[in-house]
Amino acid sequence: MKFKIIQTITILVFLIVSCGDNSTNPIPKDPPNKTNSVFIWKIEKSGGNGIYSTDGSILKKFIDKKARLFEVTDNGLLFFDMMKSYNNSMDKHEFYITRLDDIDTLNSLKFTTDVSIFRLAKSGTKGIIYYHKTNETYLFDVASKTATKIYLGNDDMISDIELSYDGSKIAYAIMNLNKPEGGEHRYYLYAQNIDGSDKILVSDSALITYSYRRRFHFSKDNSILVYQAGYSSSFDFNLYKYSFGDMVNTKLTSELSGIYHIVLSPDGKKIAFVLDPILDHEKPNQLMILNIESGKLIEAWSKAGSEPILPLWLENSEDLLFISKKDLSIINYNYISGTSKIYFTFSSEDTDRIVDIFYY
């Protein structure tokens, strides 16, 4: 059965109050020049937060607003949500789509909504947004300034979403609210074409741990979807690969105790993730890299008190950035040489934690 796209609209009816005026300064199609910078969503000790950027030498506040839930596309577009105001009955959010090279003037598409934005996702050039309270998902096309409502065929709450690199496929996890007695909630991982066709159940035991990072990723050529699955009660977490060509699931690891922050390399050959040895409290968290083809699993970083989080592959699929949480540093690990170096260290006086990072 094919699900139909419900409608294409230039504003989100009953959700969006206003849209920024781009008639004189439209967002150009040509991408901005690469900045070779890391973009960070940072929480400050004062309670504030915002998006910062660093080229490895200096740190500057990129957006002087309470920005959150951001994504950077491969053509230099920044998607982010900002809480504008709050009262006892309703949040007010502003959702921006802007270019990285025009952030000072916020020459952007701006939407104001009364509904909390729960998840953002991106393709190479487009973005997607899921509204938590109304279970609605919209695909944004910046060039045409339209938002297309996507029907995912289920009224249950979506726990996470991911958009393929070319924007043709979407994967999403749905939580089954009917938890068995003495058991735990089960998450169902689905994938389908963006038009609603060819919907498949990838896994009925997808493991969802709360984080702003997704737990499943498409390869750039759409041939595979990698994801984590398992049950927390048995501490049995593993990585899997679903191949769309032969429609086969392959278990890539066995008997891992805890998996977080998985990320697929741009060449689709390696998965980086954080391993939490839940059953061994004396052992520190480890940054691991799995070679999908050979099955070889290597330890990229394990340092007592360091706690690696948020790995991020660079375009060459060799360099891997990650946050050393306790050190408040960005570390650069090279997969070929097996060496690591400090990319940038944050001030402990004004930094509470790093929530997410991107590179452009």
Side-chain angles (χ1 to χ4, degrees), residues 195-212:
D195 64 1
S197 62
D198 297 334
K199 179 180 177 181
I200 56 172
L201 174 63
V202 175
S203 172
D204 64 357
S205 61
L207 176 69
I208 305 299
T209 53
Y210 184 75
S211 168
Y212 293 104

Side-chain angles (χ1 to χ4, degrees), residues 5-264:
I5 294 177
I6 295 180
Q7 60 186 139
T8 300
I9 49 179
T10 55
I11 61 173
L12 306 185
V13 180
F14 72 77
L15 288 180
I16 292 175
V17 178
S18 63
C19 177
D21 181 12
N22 292 279
S23 57
T24 56
N25 294 301
I27 297 177
K29 294 182 180 179
D30 294 333
N33 294 328
K34 290 282 186 177
T35 64
N36 297 318
S37 295
V38 177
F39 295 86
I40 305 106
W41 174 15
K42 185 166 80 79
I43 308 297
E44 299 153 357
K45 286 190 174 179
S46 62
N49 68 87
I51 299 176
Y52 293 74
S53 68
T54 178
D55 58 3
S57 57
I58 61 172
L59 181 71
K60 61 180 181 180
K61 200 160 189 175
F62 193 65
I63 299 179
D64 193 19
K65 296 175 180 285
K66 288 199 171 184
R68 54 188 292 276
L69 292 179
F70 77 107
E71 293 275 5
V72 178
T73 66
D74 283 9
N75 62 338
L77 294 177
L78 174 68
F79 291 70
F80 70 93
D81 170 42
M82 184 187 74
M83 183 178 290
K84 185 178 180 182
S85 62
Y86 174 82
N87 58 47
N88 291 331
S89 60
M90 191 71 71
D91 295 349
K92 289 287 186 182
H93 289 257
E94 288 184 339
F95 175 61
Y96 289 87
I97 307 173
T98 190
R99 286 171 57 96
L100 289 176
D101 60 352
D102 201 15
I103 196 68
D104 291 336
T105 59
L106 275 183
N107 175 24
S108 59
L109 300 178
K110 183 179 78 171
F111 303 92
T112 303
T113 172
D114 290 335
V115 183
S116 175
I117 293 171
F118 186 56
R119 294 292 185 193
L120 300 181
K122 61 155 184 176
S123 67
T125 59
K126 297 181 181 180
I128 200 166
I129 183 172
Y130 168 64
Y131 289 92
H132 173 49
K133 293 180 182 177
T134 57
N135 289 343
E136 293 184 306
T137 306
Y138 291 86
L139 178 68
F140 284 87
D141 187 320
V142 178
S144 61
K145 301 181 185 178
T146 59
T148 302
K149 186 175 179 180
I150 301 169
Y151 180 56
L152 300 181
N154 199 307
D155 294 328
D156 292 331
M157 187 183 80
I158 295 175
S159 299
D160 214 346
I161 56 174
E162 173 75 328
L163 193 60
S164 66
Y165 184 79
D166 65 359
S168 67
K169 291 181 180 291
I170 185 173
Y172 52 97
I174 293 177
M175 182 176 72
N176 183 356
L177 299 178
N178 298 317
K179 184 175 73 170
E181 184 177 354
E184 57 189 332
H185 289 297
R186 179 173 290 192
Y187 294 85
Y188 297 90
L189 177 60
Y190 291 91
Q192 66 181 55
N193 292 330
I194 202 69
D195 64 1
S197 62
D198 297 334
K199 179 180 177 181
I200 56 172
L201 174 63
V202 175
S203 172
D204 64 357
S205 61
L207 176 69
I208 305 299
T209 53
Y210 184 75
S211 168
Y212 293 104
R213 279 295 186 90
R214 273 158 293 286
R215 271 69 61 185
F216 37 91
H217 299 272
F218 289 98
S219 60
K220 277 194 172 183
D221 62 2
N222 285 349
S223 62
I224 63 172
L225 179 73
V226 298
Y227 65 96
Q228 63 188 86
Y231 296 100
S232 58
S233 58
S234 61
F235 302 110
D236 181 19
F237 310 135
N238 285 291
L239 294 175
Y240 292 79
K241 176 187 73 173
Y242 181 83
S243 299
F244 289 97
D246 52 17
M247 303 180 70
V248 171
N249 259 317
T250 303
K251 190 176 182 181
L252 301 175
T253 60
S254 61
E255 299 180 0
L256 297 180
S257 56
I259 299 173
Y260 303 95
H261 299 161
I262 75 168
V263 58
L264 181 65

Side-chain angles (χ1 to χ4, degrees), residues 277-330:
I278 297 174
L279 301 179
D280 187 352
H281 298 292
E282 300 298 322
K283 198 171 184 179
N285 286 5
Q286 302 159 278
L287 178 63
M288 309 295 292
I289 299 176
L290 173 71
N291 185 302
I292 296 176
E293 183 175 348
S294 68
K296 184 179 180 181
L297 188 63
I298 67 170
E299 179 185 286
W301 183 269
S302 179
K303 180 181 177 183
S306 173
E307 197 171 348
I309 59 172
L310 304 173
L312 172 70
W313 287 104
L314 299 190
E315 293 177 1
N316 61 11
S317 295
E318 297 178 3
D319 287 297
L320 182 71
L321 301 181
F322 65 94
I323 300 292
S324 176
K325 188 175 178 181
K326 295 294 179 64
D327 300 332
L328 288 176
S329 296
I330 302 176

